[in-house]
Amino acid sequence: MFFTDFDFEDEVLDALDAMRFEVCTPIQEQTIQPLLDGKDLIGVAQTGTGKTAAYLLPVLNKLCTGEYPEDAINCVIMAPTRELAQQIDRQLEGFTYFMQVSSVAVYGGNDGVRYEQELRGMTKGADIIVATPGRLISHITLGNIDLSKVSFFILDEADRMLDMGFYNDIITIAKQLPKERQTMLFSATMPEEIRRLAATLLNDPVQVTLSLAKPADGITQQAYICHEGQKPGIIKDIFRNESSERVILFTSRKSKVREISLMLKKLGLNVGEMHSDLAQSERDEIMFLFKSRKIDMIVATDILARGIDIDDIRIVINYDVPRDCDDYIHRVGRTARAGTKGRAITFVSEEEQQYFKRIEDFIEHVVPKLEVPAELGETPEYSPKKNRGRQGGNRKQQHGSRHSRKPKGKNSKAAQGAGNEGKEKDFEKGKERRARHYHKRRGNNNNKRPKKEE
């Protein structure tokens, strides 16, 4: 289906032509018309499928008609992270080039100059606000923003916003909006929490579900079964034989980012780092250098796993196995975007075999195992059931009873988690805790999860 098949205004068609948008992706083909018809909508599709254009184009088409108030905020788009908010705002700039439609991105981690820009955009009535929940709540609390005339409310990456503890913030923001509005919710997964949120916010929604939580067909998935100490040697072997350009290497901890980055630089590789301890200006600089090909590879935490629109990533490397299957989907989804091909390599230590087997079961695919270079020594066999005992038994036994997990001392992880919930500022720390409690608290603990860094 072509974009010209829809009854778009001339300004929208001009923008599509200038940006060389011609053929719709499946999610665009199935969602644009219901949204043009004014329906509430739930869109469930994996990353890299064109969800952003799927909701932006119908909204912009309506704003072009001149039927909505001037000098008022007409649309609020919620995003879980600064990076995704920035990306949506950049795509808006492209689409609105031929339109009298204004937008402003509202997110934390900025200096006073940026804050004043946000404030001016909101008080002068930018047509579209793209915001992270925490920052928007701050402006609402300070009385900086009037949402009484909003006609469109969009939640992008809704599952991640809930994972980050923003359920109550979303409800609070929604209460500031008119009841008569069009609401759209887009998510890569559809857990019970999302269903409950949708039931609260949406009115008789159309639901479109495509390829729920599966890697794109263009991704060649591979794995090395290895000892933890062999992982640096495998990386060295990989980039001895091929280019390190357009590569993202993921690890679950910020300390590992620094360690791996230093190791790669000693190998002569051109590497940048991305994690939540960096200031916003530092994150922006790394992304600019990577997109402009001034650095070849980024070593990152899961902060880079979603919402980053880079279409030419050749290889994704999972230095460690994600504990959550959805995180695996989003990590490997950084490659093979927009119909291209890509490669995803995962290093699986003995302790991680059960987690990787869970991922294979989830994606219904046995990932081919590559041979570790002989000079690195013997490797463990891939036997997740055999290795289950060293991880504490089966899944239920491994997690144990909620009441049996007590802090052993002031420096234990459990004690830190109990004492510092209100102080944590980054998503990675919360992710480790959520992995331990995932199956116990899903669906009944929204109000108790700490908010993480935006």
Side-chain angles (χ1 to χ4, degrees), residues 7-62:
D7 189 21
F8 282 134
E9 298 291 323
D10 288 342
E11 296 95 327
V12 176
L13 292 174
D14 288 342
L16 289 167
D17 182 62
M19 296 177 71
R20 299 184 179 180
F21 276 52
E22 296 180 359
V23 181
C24 299
T25 66
I27 189 69
Q28 293 162 356
E29 183 174 330
Q30 295 191 41
T31 59
I32 287 176
Q33 191 57 54
L35 293 178
L36 287 173
D37 293 338
K39 300 286 187 182
D40 284 8
L41 185 137
I42 301 170
V44 185
Q46 63 197 39
T47 59
T49 54
K51 288 184 289 183
T52 307
Y55 63 72
L56 286 183
L57 292 172
V59 170
L60 291 174
N61 192 74
K62 293 185 178 186

Side-chain angles (χ1 to χ4, degrees), residues 396-410:
K396 183 176 180 181
Q397 292 169 332
Q398 180 181 345
H399 288 280
S401 165
R402 174 175 297 186
H403 300 290
S404 68
R405 294 191 299 275
K406 297 180 180 179
K408 296 181 179 180
K410 65 179 182 179

Side-chain angles (χ1 to χ4, degrees), residues 34-222:
L35 293 178
L36 287 173
D37 293 338
K39 300 286 187 182
D40 284 8
L41 185 137
I42 301 170
V44 185
Q46 63 197 39
T47 59
T49 54
K51 288 184 289 183
T52 307
Y55 63 72
L56 286 183
L57 292 172
V59 170
L60 291 174
N61 192 74
K62 293 185 178 186
L63 293 178
C64 282
T65 64
E67 299 175 1
Y68 294 87
E70 296 182 2
D71 300 325
I73 297 170
N74 291 300
C75 175
V76 171
I77 303 173
M78 304 303 307
T81 65
R82 310 167 194 172
E83 285 74 22
L84 182 55
Q86 289 175 318
Q87 178 182 304
I88 296 168
D89 191 49
R90 284 193 295 269
Q91 195 153 1
L92 270 169
E93 289 179 2
F95 283 136
T96 58
Y97 185 80
F98 299 98
M99 308 173 195
Q100 297 298 314
V101 175
S102 59
S103 66
V104 62
V106 176
Y107 50 85
N110 295 304
D111 56 21
V113 174
R114 173 62 192 168
Y115 183 87
E116 289 300 320
Q117 291 175 344
E118 291 181 1
L119 194 57
R120 284 197 301 271
M122 290 183 296
T123 55
K124 291 183 179 180
D127 292 289
I128 301 174
I129 298 292
V130 186
T132 53
R135 186 69 156 201
L136 188 58
I137 287 287
S138 296
H139 283 295
I140 291 172
T141 302
L142 294 170
N144 294 337
I145 187 168
D146 178 10
L147 302 178
S148 63
K149 296 181 180 180
V150 169
S151 297
F152 309 100
F153 186 41
I154 302 167
L155 302 174
D156 199 354
E157 301 279 10
D159 50 351
R160 188 176 184 193
M161 279 195 279
L162 265 60
D163 279 344
M164 295 173 72
F166 288 126
Y167 185 94
N168 286 339
D169 283 352
I170 293 170
I171 297 298
T172 299
I173 292 165
K175 289 179 180 179
Q176 305 292 315
L177 309 177
K179 291 185 178 180
E180 296 297 322
R181 64 175 189 266
Q182 186 178 10
T183 305
M184 311 159 212
L185 184 153
F186 286 82
S187 179
T189 58
M190 198 63 181
E192 183 57 35
E193 290 169 303
I194 294 293
R195 298 181 191 278
R196 185 166 61 255
L197 180 65
T200 303
L201 299 181
L202 280 71
N203 178 32
D204 190 24
V206 173
Q207 180 165 335
V208 176
T209 302
L210 297 175
S211 303
L212 184 59
K214 295 293 186 293
D217 292 337
I219 302 175
T220 299
Q221 300 177 72
Q222 300 169 326

